[in-house]
Amino acid sequence: MTTQTYTYNTLTYTHTQKHMDPYRSEAEVAPPTPKWKRLLRQNSEKIGTFAEDVVLPPNQRSGQRATVPEVILVRDVEAQNSNMSTMVVDCRTSQKQPRHFPSFIVGISIIQVFLMYNVNNQDLLINLGYDPHRRHELWRFVTIMFVHTGFIHLWSNVIFQLILGIPLEIVHNWRRISIIYIASVVGGTLFITVLRPRIYTVGASAAVYGLLFSHLSTIILNWNEMDRKCCRLFWLLAYMSFDIGLSIFDALQKQDVGSRTSHAAHLGGAVTGFLVSILVLKNFQSHPWEEKMQKICLTILKVLGVAILIFNIVVWGLYLPEEWNFNYRNSLQVYLKKTIIESSNDSRIHQKCMRDLDCKSVLDQYSFNGTISNISLE
């Protein structure tokens, strides 16, 4: 470093000039990177590597993909004609698979948590949840994913969708994962309209099951290239069997008091998520049997959609009679009153009502003279 001083009349200017040491690298000259940036970069790299190990076949992972062998022209100087000959050099240089920040899954999770902690839960249910009195309000088939019954319900869905969705979105980008997520929600709600049409339903469980079955689609779609595929398939099917078995056991155990789990939404989300994932996820190396499978999945998806739509329109007796008459003012309150009155003494909603003085007084009033006033349950 040199310092030069210039004097003009009465003013003095000092100019400092840095000379680059030719023996020092740029990394030594550059200012040190803050510790938090280094930690963030290292952890993001680990998460990206883990996502690739979970989702990608070996030949598509960073550091394991080989570029096209380099063709080098070599002149044979010892030969009299000095013709050019070619030599193929196998350059195993690494080429990184594009990674994407999981903006969709993280963003959806933040919105769900924000709504749960900042908006009245009953207002969310009335305006955004699946209301059997308001099936014609089509936005409910999507907005159901923003409403949850409680903190356990919310955080179980958020944690599982982050675990399942982040590896997929890092590899496949947010557009593909958003299509799978929203399609699973809509599919789950449509299955509710067929299997449990008279029940208020909320939650993003259908989307979580759609993401879970997307991992199954990833294994099947890249079966020829995936490593440890039998092991992956075994453990994934084992977890699915355990979860489905637990749901069936819960339904049988609570047969008398009623289970609060929407098995119809789980089934619809799983089926839709699997079929849509086969169509939209990246297929890194196409094979004829995979193309046939995609055509079959598209056909099944179309048939299911048309069948459920026709069922919703034609089978009038399955749905609430007042729904299309728009006589659903305070429909949730009416539904809660009717549910409490018709429930057994062992049911969860009846026990909750007995712990609330206002609700208990309403039940006592109904038992006394057969009338019932407004009830507000949180």
Side-chain angles (χ1 to χ4, degrees):
M1 179 183 296
T2 60
T3 303
Q4 301 175 1
T5 305
Y6 307 93
T7 303
Y8 298 96
N9 296 333
T10 58
L11 297 177
T12 301
Y13 298 87
T14 301
H15 174 68
T16 303
Q17 182 179 3
K18 286 185 178 180
H19 291 287
M20 181 71 70
D21 187 348
Y23 298 101
R24 298 177 66 188
S25 63
E26 293 183 3
E28 293 175 336
V29 176
T33 306
K35 184 177 180 181
W36 68 270
K37 284 189 177 180
R38 293 200 307 270
L39 291 175
L40 182 63
R41 189 181 298 114
Q42 292 170 1
N43 290 326
S44 62
E45 185 69 22
K46 291 179 181 178
I47 294 173
T49 303
F50 173 77
E52 290 185 353
D53 291 341
V54 171
V55 178
L56 289 176
N59 62 341
Q60 296 294 329
R61 297 171 192 165
S62 298
Q64 299 186 32
R65 298 181 64 194
T67 58
V68 178
E70 185 178 355
V71 178
I72 301 177
L73 294 176
V74 180
R75 183 181 296 275
D76 188 357
V77 295
E78 296 182 357
Q80 294 180 356
N81 54 8
S82 297
N83 291 332
M84 299 294 293
S85 61
T86 59
M87 181 174 63
V88 178
V89 180
D90 191 6
C91 299
R92 295 290 176 177
T93 55
S94 62
Q95 180 180 350
K96 279 196 172 184
Q97 176 75 14
R99 294 176 181 174
H100 310 273
F101 181 78
S103 54
F104 177 79
I105 290 294
V106 173
I108 284 291
S109 302
I110 292 174
I111 293 173
Q112 291 167 345
V113 173
F114 175 81
L115 291 175
M116 185 68 188
Y117 282 89
N118 293 276
V119 182
N120 182 271
N121 192 255
Q122 197 169 103
D123 292 339
L124 285 175
L125 175 59
I126 292 174
N127 295 305
L128 301 181
Y130 172 75
D131 186 340
H133 299 84
R134 295 175 167 92
R135 283 187 309 124
H136 53 276
E137 296 175 351
L138 300 180
W139 67 81
R140 296 179 179 274
F141 288 83
V142 179
T143 58
I144 184 177
M145 65 185 180
F146 295 118
V147 192
H148 293 82
T149 57
F151 298 114
I152 296 177
H153 184 209
L154 167 71
W155 283 108
S156 61
N157 280 341
V158 167
I159 291 172
F160 273 101
Q161 75 185 16
L162 288 174
I163 293 174
L164 296 169
I166 285 178
L168 288 170
E169 190 170 348
I170 287 175
V171 172
H172 294 283
N173 74 49
W174 71 271
R175 294 181 184 86
R176 300 173 189 269
I177 303 307
S178 63
I179 292 173
I180 295 170
Y181 191 96
I182 296 174
S184 300
V185 173
V186 175
T189 314
L190 288 174
F191 268 64
I192 292 171
T193 63
V194 173
L195 302 177
R196 300 285 286 174
R198 294 173 177 261
I199 304 298
Y200 283 79
T201 312
V202 295
S205 300
V208 174
Y209 271 79
L211 293 174
L212 175 62
F213 276 75
S214 292
H215 284 269
L216 178 61
S217 301
T218 300
I219 296 174
I220 295 175
L221 201 58
N222 299 284
W223 181 259
N224 291 349
E225 298 81 34
M226 191 69 72
D227 62 330
R228 303 188 302 275
K229 48 196 171 188
C230 293
C231 182
R232 292 170 183 265
L233 186 62
F234 171 78
W235 286 112
L236 188 59
L237 292 178
Y239 173 77
M240 291 177 177
S241 302
F242 171 77
D243 190 80
I244 294 172
L246 192 64
S247 299
I248 295 174
F249 178 77
D250 177 71
L252 294 176
Q253 285 291 105
K254 298 178 180 178
Q255 192 172 4
D256 298 330
V257 298
S259 174
R260 300 183 66 187
T261 304
S262 179
H263 304 290
H266 293 179
L267 177 62
V271 172
T272 307
F274 175 80
L275 295 175
V276 174
S277 298
I278 292 291
L279 299 174
V280 304
L281 289 181
K282 293 179 183 178
N283 185 7
F284 297 100
Q285 188 172 346
S286 182
H287 299 278
W289 70 269
E290 293 172 345
E291 295 176 358
K292 292 179 181 179
M293 180 182 63
Q294 289 177 326
K295 292 180 181 179
I296 292 173
C297 289
L298 180 60
T299 303
I300 295 174
L301 198 62
K302 290 179 179 179
V303 170
L304 277 176
V306 172
I308 291 176
L309 182 62
I310 294 175
F311 193 90
N312 274 264
I313 296 174
V314 173
V315 187
W316 292 95
L318 191 64
Y319 305 99
L320 296 173
E322 66 270 22
E323 197 250 329
W324 293 107
N325 296 326
F326 302 97
N327 296 324
Y328 50 66
R329 177 172 293 181
N330 298 325
S331 57
L332 177 61
Q333 298 294 333
V334 174
Y335 174 82
L336 290 174
K337 297 172 190 177
K338 184 179 178 181
T339 303
I340 293 172
I341 293 171
E342 296 177 352
S343 64
S344 63
N345 295 336
D346 297 331
S347 66
R348 184 177 300 179
I349 192 169
H350 189 91
Q351 293 174 358
K352 184 175 181 179
C353 184
M354 295 303 292
R355 291 193 297 268
D356 186 275
L357 294 179
D358 294 334
C359 185
K360 185 176 182 302
S361 64
V362 170
L363 281 183
D364 293 339
Q365 177 187 352
Y366 180 80
S367 301
F368 180 73
N369 58 15
T371 61
I372 191 167
S373 59
N374 290 331
I375 302 176
S376 179
L377 293 181
E378 296 182 357

